[in-house]
Amino acid sequence: MTLTPQPLVPSPPLLRLCLAPHAGGPRAIDGAWWPRSYDLLAELPWLLAGLPRTWGHITSVMLNGAVWSSAPGRMFVAGQVVRLRRSLTATAAHTVVLLAPGHGRWDLLVVPPDTTEEAAKPIMESVAGARSVVASAPLRAVPRARS
């Protein structure tokens, strides 16, 4: 009998997310997210799965409609419906706003996917501050949307 080695299952990609330390007061930006593409159907499930539980159930995401790929007005992510709202304003060009009723609003700076690691690292560190939480470990197994 010949045994054939099992192919290695690729590990899930690392979520590139830095969150600003909780200081108790309002902030202009709550963190920085560096997605791998502008494919919202592929990227949003990974982002939502990696957020702190204290942020609550994200029900609405506001983003720049000119930058992200087209997507329906709602999508089902990890057992929850998330409403997608698009803006074409210049102020929203590089941000994603997450809303969770009863918990709050979080604004994340979006580092463009094609940014080099050398250029992205200082951006993410400056937004998150010295005591940032870096969610860069492999995520839980969340089905990735197919494009």
Side-chain angles (χ1 to χ4, degrees), residues 26-122:
R27 293 183 294 273
I29 293 291
D30 297 293
W33 175 41
W34 183 22
R36 288 179 166 64
S37 73
Y38 281 117
D39 181 353
L40 191 61
L41 295 175
E43 299 294 338
L44 190 58
W46 294 101
L47 173 63
L48 296 183
L51 295 175
R53 292 184 190 268
T54 57
W55 284 22
H57 171 75
I58 303 297
T59 60
S60 185
V61 176
M62 293 187 293
L63 48 96
N64 184 324
V67 176
W68 292 91
S69 64
S70 63
R74 291 181 226 172
M75 63 187 283
F76 197 64
V77 179
Q80 65 190 36
V81 174
V82 177
R83 185 175 204 173
L84 305 175
R85 298 175 187 223
R86 295 178 175 272
S87 171
L88 297 175
T89 63
T91 58
H94 296 289
T95 60
V96 169
V97 178
L98 308 172
L99 301 171
H103 290 275
R105 167 188 168 145
W106 293 274
D107 293 40
L108 300 177
L109 175 72
V110 177
V111 178
D114 59 352
T115 304
T116 65
E117 186 171 348
E118 181 180 49
K121 186 176 178 181

Side-chain angles (χ1 to χ4, degrees), residues 1 4 16 33 35 67 89 133-134:
M1 171 172 25
T4 305
R16 302 181 297 190
W33 175 41
V67 176
T89 63
V133 175
V134 181

